[in-house]
Amino acid sequence: MTILSFFTRASRAFNGYPASSKLLLLCTLSLSGGGVVAYSEAQVDASKTSVQVNEKDCKKKRVVVLGTGWAGISFLKDLDVSAYDVQVVSPRNYFAFTPLLPSVTCGTVEARSIVEPVRNIIKKRNGEIQFWEAECMKIDAANKKLFCRYTVENNLVGNDEFSLEYDYLVIAVGAQVNTFNTPGVLENCFFLKEVEDAQKIRRSVIDCFEKAVLPGLSEEERRINLHFVIVGGGPTGVEFAAELHDFVQEDLINLYPSVKDLVKITVIQSGDHILNMFDERISSFAEQKFRRDGIEVQTGSRVISVSDKEITMKLKAKGEICSVPHGLVVWSTGVETRPFVKDFMGQIGQANRRVLATDEWLRVKGCEDVYALGDCATINQRKVMEDIAAIFKAADKDNSGFLTVEEFKDVIDDILERYPQVEHYLKSKHLRDVTDLMKDSEGNYIDKVDIEGFKLALCQADSQVKNLPATAQVAAQQGAYLSKCFNRKYKWKDNPEGPRRFRGSGRHQFHPFQYKHLGQFAPLGGEQAAAELPGDWVSMGRSTQWLWYSVYASKQVSWRTRVLVVSDWTRRFIFGRDSSRI
Amino acid sequence: MTILSFFTRASRAFNGYPASSKLLLLCTLSLSGGGVVAYSEAQVDASKTSVQVNEKDCKKKRVVVLGTGWAGISFLKDLDVSAYDVQVVSPRNYFAFTPLLPSVTCGTVEARSIVEPVRNIIKKRNGEIQFWEAECMKIDAANKKLFCRYTVENNLVGNDEFSLEYDYLVIAVGAQVNTFNTPGVLENCFFLKEVEDAQKIRRSVIDCFEKAVLPGLSEEERRINLHFVIVGGGPTGVEFAAELHDFVQEDLINLYPSVKDLVKITVIQSGDHILNMFDERISSFAEQKFRRDGIEVQTGSRVISVSDKEITMKLKAKGEICSVPHGLVVWSTGVETRPFVKDFMGQIGQANRRVLATDEWLRVKGCEDVYALGDCATINQRKVMEDIAAIFKAADKDNSGFLTVEEFKDVIDDILERYPQVEHYLKSKHLRDVTDLMKDSEGNYIDKVDIEGFKLALCQADSQVKNLPATAQVAAQQGAYLSKCFNRKYKWKDNPEGPRRFRGSGRHQFHPFQYKHLGQFAPLGGEQAAAELPGDWVSMGRSTQWLWYSVYASKQVSWRTRVLVVSDWTRRFIFGRDSSRI
């Protein structure tokens, strides 16, 4: 049977395909500028450097990974599993391609097309990784122990709780929605963090329309039920507003013609502009696009409560308080730490912090052998001024009390690597070379500086320390970086590759984590998108949307999801979005 | 932009395509017999006969249709909406291709691929049909009024309840699961009636596996959690068992290798064989296939209660009662009437009946202008013996007190149409011709019969009255039939096409409904299926599965679902089924 055997062969071919290979070179023909954009991944070649474990006969070190989001999965994908006994704990047995969540809310892409079972991913690593679908309830840092629970409501037999011991713990659990303690938000708002959230929104949008067209409602009631409010003008909120607008205009008004003029979409933003983390050209492009589309953008408004019928906010400019009736509110403002991570922070002396702090090597501060990456952690960049005396001393080889240009040049690479804010500072001051820093108090170039001069030269550098954004890109790069460190941990023990230790002797074992910004997209609906590309490029319009399609297709975690996402896009072009309430 | 404009054009072309056209001629190459099977639908050409309403200026008659399943949608698809003011009420705003529900439980096909929004279907009828997503709570037959409620839990403004008035009511609400009042079934079992049921089962199967592999469970506990029980050996239960077996063997044991030997599937059937409504060759083929696959078939067992941990049954042969622990139970035994239909039956004097009774024209007995079709109704076939005297009188034109062969031949076509059991009787007796009925009490052929002889000839015919099965095929044919009647209602008022009225004068306005059995499938997993085809053909094996694929693809309600279902099948061949818990 020819057809069947074709499928069988094709099936084997695809299933056998390594998940890590990214062959899809996608070209987008730019309408505006013309040209070909090829997207290549910042590939980490860590997996190729196999660990030759000397302690082959000893017991393997136990690594427990919490979470299967961007950080966790990208760590697991490149980890050399022959060197470790790896266990993964996550309440979700799949990885979700979260940047496409807003598309799932309106059925542009199906929920199942953006998820890949964790077991599928770890199966390809030869089954050396064990996965438990459970939630970590508590970390016992002192005894290197975790307490976990299977959280799905079930009548199945056997204990739902269990504990795990670890030698190394990798915390990659992401964050949860932050309501800023606004009353009524948890009860009356929808969120956009999980796949289930997106599915709920999709059903509820249809509910609003079905209720609005029922007989016996007044026009005002129909209008209220069709008022969709998005709180938060960040990339997620804006993308959802755009998706919803497309869904309504391209699909729903044809199916619910009697209420087509009653639909209203409002974006509430506390700042002065939406997308204010982007370049201001993008921000104003988005605002203009929304104005043309009839999406109301209400800036300078802080939401103070949400009830089942109304959303109440304070207009910052006038100080007025006003309430608006709504049909559906999506809350998309920010994230906060999960409770068990808060508890863990208390144990290790980070109780007063907002987010788990790590050093530049992603090691949790105040706790041995625990690593944290992704949205649940921030890197606490070491200030150059804290170490300034040690740096001066190390650089001043002849102990003359002065640093010459040559002595400074000798240590500058290590300084730039250890304290990347110095490089940002040079860029911000448009200084061509580090020696340009060597000036006296009147601003004249000098041959050598004393400790005070050295301090003066670098005293403003620390203002350039930047926190990394809570994005998928950062998390994925951190995961890949950490797996590289783990893969080389034993082999390179006596061969440190990192920068010089200014306090203490020798070098750090690894280079510190460095984030490489590959750009960020803001899809704005109607086949238009804006993007901030590396090198401060800004791209907007229809061609950018095609670039978005290519990048998002190529970044999929497996060939299965890649095929599904692309076929979902095609389906939407041909048949529109589905409005069935399931 | 060439690609975009192609899509736009393609989109228009597909969207404009009439839903009723069924161009897909699918051929299956039979492995066993060889040959081409082309499946053609029993097309009803009703929609082509447009009604020339004489009362164009009068108010259009209001038709309310309850339900958007097979019966309701097939009625709506062919109804001439220019002649009626049509309103549709259903708690689901989509039509679901229910025969594929068992495939949805295991992700062979996605839920969204088998549903089509009702509004999409009625949009193609030029928007003359109004749809309300609501449940009918009560029918007030006396005042021709309905009370409906929007049953989705919501915080939206406006009254959830409303009433509708009708001139004609079409009840096509299907039936609900019948638990036969078995304790614990509603609380602890899964069902397979709605799309949501199938989605729930899919998630729960994954839950059973995830729980079973957790650390700290005993092997016995793992085994219990992986014991899947199906109650009911009908087509749905058997198909689900087969799908589940394939899901486990083809996908899950690769992902959960540690528990691959602990999975058990049991089908519990009260009768002596599974699939006992099919030819016994199919039934035994299915039992053999299941035995080879390791699916336990426990016949002759009646379930007497289900708890969260155990299922208790009575073994009919020994009279013993035994309990078996389970991980998941799917209840698929039979259907019963919905409560508001029961209430309506009370109003019209059918309180003692199990199911709403209609005459052969699908008109509800005891109630004017109400029609019922599909699973919620049965046709109460008029007995020939009830009318035997009237038939004799009408046939005996010369009032001689005897019926000659010629006189009998004169009325026989009307008899056969009005009382189809007579034809079944002739077939069952292998009589070539109706005149063969004319024998005297000794069995000799005679020229004429008196009333007693006539009674004797037909007295056994009524034993051949058959109730139609509660299948999609019956419902769809009834819907198409009824729309044909509605389309011709006024035009053909003075031009009746039906059989002669033996009691009373003239002819019936329409031919009575006649069911044409097009065959039935039973997919058995592992790319094997069994089928009962028209003409008492039986087909089994791999080729039948391909016939099943073709038929189910061609019967889809829209091109969109057809493309989606076929691409789901292809995806499954290439990538397997998804095991993400969403």
Side-chain angles (χ1 to χ4, degrees):
Chain A
M1 181 160 259
T2 324
I3 300 175
L4 185 67
S5 57
F6 162 73
F7 276 129
T8 317
R9 273 207 307 277
S11 160
R12 280 200 210 108
F14 270 82
N15 282 327
Y17 214 93
S20 59
S21 49
K22 304 269 173 176
L23 286 178
L24 205 68
L25 275 176
L26 278 162
C27 305
T28 57
L29 291 167
S30 161
L31 257 192
S32 52
V36 176
V37 181
Y39 188 88
S40 86
E41 201 168 334
Q43 188 88 30
V44 176
D45 59 350
S47 59
K48 277 148 212 148
T49 55
S50 165
V51 177
Q52 292 299 324
V53 194
N54 290 330
E55 317 90 318
K56 216 168 189 172
D57 299 324
C58 337
K59 215 178 145 199
K60 281 189 197 174
K61 293 281 187 191
R62 291 161 304 182
V63 178
V64 176
V65 181
L66 299 181
T68 50
W70 283 96
I73 288 298
S74 108
F75 173 73
L76 289 170
K77 270 183 83 170
D78 290 324
L79 187 68
D80 185 334
V81 289
S82 65
Y84 299 99
D85 177 4
V86 186
Q87 299 182 69
V88 185
V89 180
S90 169
R92 271 166 292 286
N93 75 353
Y94 52 83
F95 162 81
F97 191 88
T98 45
L100 281 176
L101 271 189
S103 298
V104 172
T105 55
C106 298
T108 309
V109 165
E110 289 302 327
R112 228 164 252 286
S113 308
I114 65 161
V115 301
E116 181 70 16
V118 175
R119 288 171 194 280
N120 258 2
I121 299 170
I122 63 179
K123 193 182 68 179
K124 291 172 189 154
R125 324 265 314 127
N126 295 324
E128 308 255 4
I129 304 176
Q130 283 187 296
F131 173 77
W132 319 120
E133 191 193 272
E135 221 170 299
C136 177
M137 307 312 284
K138 193 176 167 61
I139 301 171
D140 178 353
N143 299 308
K144 291 195 162 189
K145 219 170 162 181
L146 293 174
F147 297 93
C148 306
R149 187 188 293 157
Y150 179 66
T151 47
V152 174
E153 213 178 293
N154 70 91
N155 286 328
L156 300 168
V157 297
N159 202 341
D160 283 342
E161 291 179 5
F162 60 95
S163 65
L164 298 176
E165 290 178 352
Y166 63 83
D167 296 309
Y168 300 113
L169 176 63
V170 177
I171 307 178
V173 295
Q176 64 185 26
V177 164
N178 194 348
T179 66
F180 302 100
N181 293 322
T182 315
V185 170
L186 272 186
E187 300 82 2
N188 302 307
C189 291
F190 291 84
F191 304 101
L192 250 174
K193 281 293 290 174
E194 309 289 346
V195 176
E196 286 90 348
D197 294 338
Q199 291 176 306
K200 262 191 225 163
I201 291 177
R202 183 171 183 181
R203 275 194 296 272
S204 301
V205 169
I206 300 296
D207 287 344
C208 291
F209 274 85
E210 289 293 353
K211 178 81 190 263
V213 297
L214 285 189
L217 269 71
S218 70
E219 193 180 301
E220 187 51 30
E221 285 172 333
R222 295 182 206 278
R223 206 181 281 278
I224 291 173
N225 290 336
L226 293 174
H227 184 206
F228 302 95
V229 181
I230 295 107
V231 183
T236 309
V238 165
E239 191 179 343
F240 169 64
E243 277 281 350
L244 182 61
H245 176 262
D246 283 1
F247 189 25
V248 170
Q249 295 303 317
E250 293 170 9
D251 302 282
L252 294 179
I253 60 170
N254 298 321
L255 299 178
Y256 303 83
S258 63
V259 292
K260 67 176 177 185
D261 299 323
L262 308 181
V263 186
K264 188 178 164 191
I265 301 172
T266 305
V267 178
I268 297 176
Q269 162 73 328
S270 58
D272 291 335
H273 293 283
I274 57 171
L275 297 181
N276 53 17
M277 64 292 294
F278 280 85
D279 187 285
E280 66 183 26
R281 282 168 291 174
I282 290 181
S283 175
S284 74
F285 178 78
E287 284 172 4
Q288 279 166 24
K289 167 97 174 53
F290 276 16
R291 206 170 303 132
R292 280 201 306 277
D293 287 347
I295 300 174
E296 194 179 317
V297 177
Q298 193 161 339
T299 53
S301 307
R302 199 169 58 80
V303 174
I304 52 180
S305 75
V306 184
S307 77
D308 58 344
K309 301 270 187 291
E310 284 189 331
I311 179 161
T312 307
M313 56 199 139
K314 191 170 181 178
L315 309 178
K316 282 182 182 172
K318 304 180 194 165
E320 270 172 20
I321 286 176
C322 75
S323 290
V324 185
H326 65 77
L328 181 145
V329 181
V330 173
W331 187 268
S332 162
T333 55
V335 293
E336 67 172 354
T337 309
R338 294 187 191 276
F340 85 92
V341 178
K342 269 269 168 223
D343 171 85
F344 171 64
M345 287 163 70
Q347 292 177 46
I348 58 169
Q350 293 198 13
N352 297 325
R353 294 190 50 87
R354 216 174 48 80
V355 184
L356 201 51
T358 71
D359 64 14
E360 298 84 341
W361 290 268
L362 309 183
R363 297 176 299 202
V364 171
K365 291 203 165 186
C367 192
E368 275 289 290
D369 298 331
V370 179
Y371 300 79
L373 51 168
D375 290 5
C376 67
T378 50
I379 296 174
N380 224 358
Q381 175 60 49
R382 181 100 184 154
K383 304 275 190 300
V384 68
M385 290 310 282
E386 286 178 67
D387 295 339
I388 196 83
I391 297 170
F392 189 87
K393 191 158 170 255
D396 183 17
K397 282 183 194 157
D398 53 5
N399 281 318
S400 62
F402 287 95
L403 227 54
T404 62
V405 172
E406 276 63 41
E407 282 174 331
F408 192 23
K409 277 187 172 167
D410 229 29
V411 293
I412 192 64
D413 284 344
D414 288 319
I415 294 179
L416 290 180
E417 188 172 9
R418 182 75 185 86
Y419 312 97
Q421 63 265 40
V422 175
E423 193 164 357
H424 298 148
Y425 175 65
L426 292 177
K427 263 192 198 159
S428 74
K429 292 283 167 196
H430 304 288
L431 301 178
R432 284 166 301 126
D433 196 78
V434 277
T435 48
D436 289 349
L437 285 171
M438 294 185 71
K439 295 179 186 173
D440 66 12
S441 50
E442 272 109 49
N444 303 315
Y445 285 94
I446 48 174
D447 281 344
K448 50 186 187 178
V449 286
D450 60 2
I451 178 76
E452 292 311 315
F454 193 58
K455 278 184 187 169
L456 187 72
L458 290 173
C459 66
Q460 287 178 55
D462 287 330
S463 65
Q464 293 293 325
V465 170
K466 279 175 194 159
N467 275 339
L468 296 177
T471 61
Q473 207 176 132
V474 171
Q477 290 185 20
Q478 289 183 334
Y481 164 82
L482 192 65
S483 68
K484 198 165 83 172
C485 297
F486 267 71
N487 291 347
R488 299 173 177 184
K489 214 178 186 84
Y490 297 103
K491 192 184 177 190
W492 291 26
K493 210 166 189 172
D494 308 319
N495 189 15
E497 59 170 14
R500 175 174 178 166
R501 288 183 203 270
F502 291 110
R503 293 174 178 248
S505 62
R507 309 188 77 83
H508 291 278
Q509 193 181 352
F510 298 110
H511 295 295
F513 172 72
Q514 261 196 306
Y515 172 57
K516 193 174 161 200
H517 187 60
L518 299 173
Q520 196 178 358
F521 284 98
L524 298 171
E527 298 301 312
Q528 306 245 353
E532 236 176 39
L533 300 172
D536 289 331
W537 274 23
V538 162
S539 160
M540 288 176 290
R542 201 174 275 266
S543 56
T544 313
Q545 179 70 25
W546 285 91
L547 177 62
W548 181 90
Y549 283 128
S550 339
V551 171
Y552 276 35
S554 73
K555 299 296 278 180
Q556 291 298 319
V557 79
S558 74
W559 274 101
R560 196 188 64 89
T561 58
R562 191 167 296 133
V563 169
L564 290 182
V565 163
V566 173
S567 66
D568 280 353
W569 286 332
T570 315
R571 171 189 49 69
R572 199 269 291 174
F573 271 116
I574 299 174
F575 299 110
R577 301 169 184 85
D578 182 25
S579 67
S580 307
R581 197 211 175 266
I582 58 168
Chain B
M1 179 160 262
T2 324
I3 300 175
L4 184 68
S5 57
F6 162 75
F7 276 128
T8 316
R9 274 208 307 276
S11 160
R12 281 202 208 106
F14 270 81
N15 282 326
Y17 214 93
S20 59
S21 49
K22 303 268 173 178
L23 286 179
L24 205 69
L25 275 176
L26 278 162
C27 306
T28 57
L29 291 168
S30 162
L31 257 190
S32 52
V36 177
V37 181
Y39 187 88
S40 84
E41 200 167 334
Q43 187 89 30
V44 177
D45 59 347
S47 59
K48 278 149 210 147
T49 56
S50 162
V51 178
Q52 292 297 321
V53 194
N54 291 331
E55 318 91 313
K56 216 169 189 172
D57 299 326
C58 336
K59 218 178 140 201
K60 281 187 194 174
K61 293 282 188 191
R62 291 160 305 182
V63 178
V64 176
V65 181
L66 298 181
T68 50
W70 283 97
I73 289 296
S74 107
F75 173 73
L76 289 169
K77 270 183 83 172
D78 291 324
L79 186 67
D80 185 335
V81 287
S82 64
Y84 297 100
D85 176 3
V86 186
Q87 299 180 70
V88 184
V89 179
S90 170
R92 272 167 291 286
N93 75 354
Y94 52 84
F95 163 80
F97 191 89
T98 45
L100 282 176
L101 270 189
S103 298
V104 172
T105 56
C106 298
T108 308
V109 165
E110 289 302 327
R112 227 164 253 285
S113 308
I114 66 161
V115 300
E116 181 71 16
V118 174
R119 289 171 195 279
N120 258 1
I121 300 169
I122 62 179
K123 193 181 69 178
K124 292 173 187 151
R125 324 269 310 131
N126 295 323
E128 308 253 5
I129 304 176
Q130 284 186 294
F131 173 78
W132 320 120
E133 190 192 273
E135 221 170 299
C136 177
M137 308 311 285
K138 191 177 168 63
I139 301 171
D140 178 355
N143 299 306
K144 292 194 160 187
K145 220 170 162 179
L146 293 173
F147 297 93
C148 305
R149 187 188 294 158
Y150 179 65
T151 47
V152 174
E153 214 178 293
N154 70 92
N155 286 327
L156 300 168
V157 296
N159 202 340
D160 282 342
E161 293 181 4
F162 59 95
S163 65
L164 297 176
E165 291 180 349
Y166 63 83
D167 295 310
Y168 300 113
L169 177 64
V170 177
I171 306 178
V173 294
Q176 64 186 28
V177 164
N178 195 348
T179 66
F180 302 101
N181 293 322
T182 314
V185 171
L186 272 187
E187 300 82 0
N188 301 307
C189 291
F190 291 83
F191 303 101
L192 250 174
K193 281 292 290 174
E194 309 289 346
V195 176
E196 285 89 347
D197 295 339
Q199 291 176 307
K200 262 190 226 164
I201 291 178
R202 183 171 183 180
R203 273 193 298 271
S204 301
V205 168
I206 300 297
D207 287 344
C208 292
F209 274 85
E210 289 293 353
K211 177 82 191 261
V213 295
L214 283 190
L217 269 72
S218 70
E219 191 179 304
E220 187 51 31
E221 285 171 334
R222 296 182 206 277
R223 207 180 280 279
I224 291 173
N225 290 336
L226 293 175
H227 185 205
F228 301 96
V229 181
I230 294 107
V231 182
T236 309
V238 165
E239 191 179 343
F240 170 65
E243 277 281 349
L244 183 61
H245 176 263
D246 283 0
F247 188 24
V248 170
Q249 295 302 319
E250 293 169 10
D251 301 283
L252 294 179
I253 60 170
N254 298 321
L255 299 179
Y256 302 84
S258 63
V259 292
K260 68 176 177 183
D261 299 323
L262 309 180
V263 185
K264 188 178 165 192
I265 302 172
T266 305
V267 178
I268 297 175
Q269 163 73 328
S270 58
D272 292 335
H273 293 283
I274 57 171
L275 296 181
N276 53 15
M277 65 293 294
F278 281 85
D279 188 286
E280 68 183 25
R281 282 168 291 174
I282 289 181
S283 175
S284 74
F285 177 77
E287 283 171 4
Q288 281 166 25
K289 167 94 175 59
F290 275 16
R291 206 171 301 132
R292 280 199 307 277
D293 288 346
I295 300 174
E296 193 179 319
V297 177
Q298 193 162 339
T299 52
S301 306
R302 199 168 57 81
V303 174
I304 52 178
S305 75
V306 184
S307 78
D308 58 345
K309 302 271 187 288
E310 285 189 330
I311 180 162
T312 306
M313 56 199 140
K314 191 170 183 177
L315 309 177
K316 281 182 183 172
K318 305 179 194 165
E320 269 173 20
I321 286 176
C322 74
S323 289
V324 186
H326 65 76
L328 181 144
V329 181
V330 173
W331 186 268
S332 162
T333 55
V335 292
E336 67 173 353
T337 309
R338 296 187 190 276
F340 86 91
V341 178
K342 268 272 171 221
D343 170 87
F344 171 64
M345 287 162 70
Q347 292 176 44
I348 58 169
Q350 293 197 15
N352 297 327
R353 293 189 52 87
R354 214 177 49 80
V355 184
L356 200 52
T358 71
D359 64 16
E360 297 84 342
W361 290 268
L362 309 183
R363 297 174 299 202
V364 171
K365 291 202 166 183
C367 192
E368 275 289 290
D369 299 330
V370 180
Y371 299 79
L373 51 168
D375 289 4
C376 68
T378 50
I379 295 174
N380 223 359
Q381 175 61 48
R382 181 103 186 155
K383 304 275 188 301
V384 68
M385 292 310 282
E386 286 178 69
D387 295 338
I388 196 84
I391 298 170
F392 189 88
K393 190 156 171 256
D396 183 21
K397 281 185 195 157
D398 54 6
N399 281 318
S400 62
F402 288 95
L403 227 53
T404 63
V405 173
E406 276 65 40
E407 281 173 332
F408 192 24
K409 278 188 173 166
D410 230 26
V411 294
I412 192 64
D413 285 344
D414 290 318
I415 293 177
L416 290 180
E417 188 173 8
R418 183 74 186 84
Y419 312 97
Q421 63 266 41
V422 175
E423 192 164 358
H424 299 148
Y425 175 66
L426 292 178
K427 263 191 199 159
S428 73
K429 292 282 165 196
H430 304 287
L431 300 177
R432 283 165 301 123
D433 196 79
V434 277
T435 49
D436 289 347
L437 287 171
M438 293 184 73
K439 296 179 186 172
D440 65 13
S441 49
E442 272 110 52
N444 303 314
Y445 285 92
I446 49 174
D447 283 343
K448 52 186 184 178
V449 286
D450 61 2
I451 178 76
E452 292 309 317
F454 192 58
K455 278 184 186 169
L456 186 72
L458 290 173
C459 66
Q460 287 178 56
D462 288 329
S463 66
Q464 294 293 324
V465 169
K466 280 175 192 157
N467 274 340
L468 296 178
T471 61
Q473 205 176 135
V474 171
Q477 289 185 21
Q478 289 184 334
Y481 164 83
L482 193 64
S483 67
K484 198 164 84 174
C485 297
F486 267 72
N487 291 345
R488 299 173 177 183
K489 213 178 187 84
Y490 297 103
K491 190 184 176 193
W492 291 26
K493 206 164 190 172
D494 309 317
N495 189 15
E497 59 171 14
R500 176 173 177 167
R501 290 181 200 270
F502 293 110
R503 291 172 180 247
S505 62
R507 308 187 77 82
H508 290 277
Q509 194 182 351
F510 298 110
H511 295 294
F513 172 72
Q514 261 195 308
Y515 171 58
K516 193 175 163 197
H517 187 60
L518 298 174
Q520 196 177 357
F521 284 98
L524 299 171
E527 297 302 312
Q528 304 246 356
E532 235 176 40
L533 300 172
D536 289 329
W537 273 23
V538 162
S539 160
M540 287 176 291
R542 201 174 275 265
S543 57
T544 313
Q545 180 71 22
W546 284 91
L547 177 62
W548 180 89
Y549 283 128
S550 339
V551 171
Y552 276 33
S554 74
K555 300 295 279 181
Q556 291 298 320
V557 78
S558 74
W559 274 99
R560 194 187 65 88
T561 58
R562 190 167 296 133
V563 169
L564 291 180
V565 163
V566 173
S567 66
D568 280 353
W569 286 331
T570 316
R571 170 189 51 67
R572 200 271 289 173
F573 271 116
I574 298 175
F575 298 110
R577 301 169 184 84
D578 182 25
S579 67
S580 307
R581 195 211 176 264
I582 57 168

